[in-house]
Amino acid sequence: MTMTQSPSGSTLQEAEDFLNAHPEIEAFDIVLHDANGIGRGKIIRRHELAGLYKGGRHLPISILGLDIVGEDVHETGLIWDQGDGDLRAWPIPGTLKALHGTNPPRGELLMSMYHLDGAEMTSDPRHALRRQVDAMAAEGLHPAGAFELEFFLLDPDRAQGVRPAAAVLDGRRSDWTEVYSVDHLHGMEPLFSDIYRAAERMDIQAETVISEYAPGQYELTLHYRTDVMQAADDLIRLKRIVRMQARRHGVVACFMAKPIEKYAGSGMHFHVSLCDDAGRNVFAEAVEGQWTDTIRHAIGGLRQTMGESMLVFAPHANSWRRFANQSYAPVSPSWGVNNRSVALRIPAGDVRARRIEHRPSGVDANPYLVAATILAGIRHGLAQRIDPGPETTGNGYEGAPDLPIPADWREAIRAAQGSAFLKDALGADMHRTFTAIKAAEYQRVARWIADVDYELYLHNV
């Protein structure tokens, strides 16, 4: 049976209203995100938009079974096992937006994949997050949250190695850390102005920008969302905005977790709270510092499931270079209050805004899968009433962890493959797809003869 009514809830009226409001727009980027969080899709012309809303758009099933460089991973079962047939992508309501600075003017639309009969295609990461949100709603809980976006702005010329980009305003280059320097930000002011304008056109509330803890590293914060689906959309769209605007200003936006050996890597911290059906924050304590059982059990669940979930939070070979001691990246499933050396932090601040800051994820992770796994960990902790153990005070990098965590990428892949929790968190299809893609990526990297091999061994063995 072929579905012609949108299973996503999108309506033709949305498209018609947008076209009437934006007669200047000539084309649209239609974007669906794969297991790696990479946007795949097409650019369609203006006259095609109404047809897209009426009947969706056929896309090959293999689009969700690609590796980091866009090659088929047959072990996902999404390529020739399915005859590489077409499924149907449908618009996500509320995501049709105008892009900033394009010539000729273009818009952007996020898509999600469905079977021809309208059933969800469950190797689509967005459906994995929706499943966890709906499960929480059935339990009377509603997650809210926001991601932080850390990234590097780099010189496009790598002839002299990887180095920070020169200021787009005056060409000044600094190889110093410049952490929290406001004057340093002024050199990138034209670029950040375009990023903010582009975010505004997307109805994304990008907020504070800071110079982070490495040369050329920056952080953008996002406004808290009462809908974590929208929070994930914000993050993945903001990455695309930063990359696009950086290119227009002649610099490279880098979202590798660890692009420069001797400096801190880039995280994608997720701040999450829970509200009940009446809108009350169930993490908020009655007396400041006397933690509720709800937040303690949520932390307990996140701690207990972190080891088997690390592949979601650190999905690539480069991800694991970020976990160096005293690098502001957590190295064990610890928790604490107002402490940036732990994995799970309760930030200081107003009790009414009580939340958990989940810190393990690198900026190279897929925000839909990160959020889905975190929500599943919280649900697990609440259901099992898991005690989080003692709070870490002082230096969280010291001492042996009391819960196991993979030592490297290969171990993380094995842990994820065998994890019943992660299979339930992501759904069986998404779990199979994701772990197969990561195993194939590991094999690609393992075969690669890197420059370090020649530096160490060519003349010495």
Side-chain angles (χ1 to χ4, degrees):
M1 180 180 73
T2 299
M3 183 84 176
T4 55
Q5 182 176 354
S6 173
S8 70
S10 60
T11 65
L12 178 60
Q13 189 66 50
E14 180 182 1
E16 292 175 342
D17 290 346
F18 186 91
L19 292 172
N20 289 334
H22 295 277
E24 77 285 0
I25 289 182
E26 297 183 14
F28 296 88
D29 298 0
I30 60 171
V31 186
L32 179 139
H33 291 93
D34 67 10
N36 283 308
I38 295 173
R40 312 278 183 189
K42 303 181 179 184
I43 299 178
I44 65 170
R45 306 304 296 169
R46 178 184 178 92
H47 70 271
E48 298 179 89
L49 185 69
L52 177 67
Y53 273 80
K54 289 177 182 176
R57 187 80 177 211
H58 284 129
L59 290 173
I61 190 173
S62 58
I63 202 171
L64 293 174
L66 303 176
D67 68 7
I68 193 71
V69 293
E71 294 188 2
D72 291 340
V73 178
H74 297 281
E75 293 82 0
T76 62
L78 300 179
I79 317 298
W80 299 122
D81 290 6
Q82 307 280 342
D84 197 18
D86 281 344
L87 297 184
R88 189 168 294 183
W90 289 90
I92 297 169
T95 66
L96 180 59
K97 305 292 181 183
L99 290 169
H100 169 70
T102 54
N103 186 24
R106 295 202 320 276
E108 181 183 270
L109 175 65
L110 299 188
M111 308 286 286
S112 199
M113 191 76 93
Y114 293 82
H115 291 282
L116 298 181
D117 65 359
E120 292 180 352
M121 200 293 164
T122 47
S123 286
D124 182 328
R126 212 171 184 281
H127 292 317
L129 177 54
R130 171 56 66 192
R131 180 170 165 267
Q132 289 298 330
V133 170
D134 290 347
M136 274 197 160
E139 297 162 359
L141 295 171
H142 308 278
F147 288 93
E148 296 175 5
L149 181 67
E150 295 178 356
F151 58 95
F152 282 80
L153 295 175
L154 300 177
D155 192 320
D157 183 2
R158 291 170 53 197
Q160 299 182 51
V162 178
R163 59 178 184 164
V168 299
L169 185 64
D170 57 11
R172 176 180 174 267
R173 188 188 307 280
S174 173
D175 291 318
W176 299 102
T177 298
E178 306 276 12
V179 65
Y180 279 85
S181 169
V182 177
D183 288 345
H184 178 66
L185 293 174
H186 291 169
M188 292 295 180
E189 186 176 14
L191 169 54
F192 281 110
S193 293
D194 275 334
I195 289 171
Y196 281 121
R197 289 192 192 101
E200 185 178 1
R201 296 206 81 182
M202 291 278 179
D203 294 323
I204 296 171
Q205 292 180 268
E207 297 185 331
T208 306
V209 60
I210 65 171
S211 179
E212 258 288 357
Y213 209 75
Q217 188 185 35
Y218 301 87
E219 178 187 277
L220 275 168
T221 61
L222 285 158
H223 187 71
Y224 219 66
R225 295 289 198 181
T226 56
D227 178 358
V228 297
M229 298 294 300
Q230 196 170 23
D233 288 344
D234 284 352
L235 190 284
I236 212 154
R237 297 188 102 158
L238 187 58
K239 285 179 70 173
R240 190 162 189 260
I241 286 169
V242 171
R243 183 179 284 115
M244 183 184 299
Q245 298 306 324
R247 181 180 294 174
R248 294 181 185 280
H249 284 272
V251 301
V252 173
C254 175
F255 299 105
M256 291 169 63
K258 182 78 167 180
I260 302 175
E261 176 188 354
K262 61 182 179 179
Y263 293 111
S266 294
M268 190 179 70
H269 304 164
F270 183 46
H271 294 251
V272 60
S273 57
L274 288 182
C275 292
D276 61 18
D277 288 335
R280 293 183 293 262
N281 183 355
V282 297
F283 283 168
E285 66 272 25
V287 178
E288 187 170 0
Q290 295 183 11
W291 313 118
T292 64
D293 285 344
T294 307
I295 198 168
R296 284 176 52 80
H297 294 152
I299 291 171
L302 291 172
R303 290 192 71 229
Q304 188 177 94
T305 58
M306 189 175 296
E308 57 200 297
S309 304
M310 280 303 297
L311 186 62
V312 172
F313 310 142
H316 307 292
N318 180 259
S319 310
W320 290 84
R321 304 190 193 283
R322 175 171 161 261
F323 297 108
N325 200 31
Q326 299 184 21
S327 64
Y328 289 92
V331 294
S332 67
S334 53
W335 77 279
V337 181
N338 195 21
N339 186 336
R340 285 183 171 83
S341 68
V342 299
L344 303 166
R345 172 177 175 249
I346 299 179
D350 192 331
V351 169
R352 292 170 297 179
R354 188 63 70 217
R355 63 195 186 275
I356 298 169
E357 180 187 5
H358 187 277
R359 297 172 57 81
S361 297
V363 74
D364 56 344
N366 183 328
Y368 298 113
L369 299 186
V370 167
T373 304
I374 290 171
L375 296 188
I378 290 173
R379 290 180 59 224
H380 175 71
L382 296 180
Q384 302 299 319
R385 301 184 62 82
I386 298 171
D387 190 294
E391 171 194 347
T392 296
T393 57
N395 189 349
Y397 296 112
E398 295 178 345
D402 62 334
L403 290 172
I405 196 167
D408 55 32
W409 189 33
R410 183 182 185 185
E411 189 177 324
I413 292 171
R414 288 178 174 174
Q417 287 171 329
S419 171
F421 163 77
L422 195 61
K423 186 175 182 179
D424 182 66
L426 303 181
D429 290 339
M430 187 72 250
H431 177 265
R432 182 195 67 251
T433 299
F434 179 68
T435 56
I437 288 170
K438 294 297 103 184
E441 186 179 341
Y442 174 84
Q443 291 300 324
R444 178 188 289 272
V445 173
R447 292 191 300 267
W448 198 300
I449 308 300
D451 288 345
V452 68
D453 288 30
Y454 297 103
E455 291 290 335
L456 293 178
Y457 309 123
L458 179 62
H459 299 293
N460 297 321
V461 297

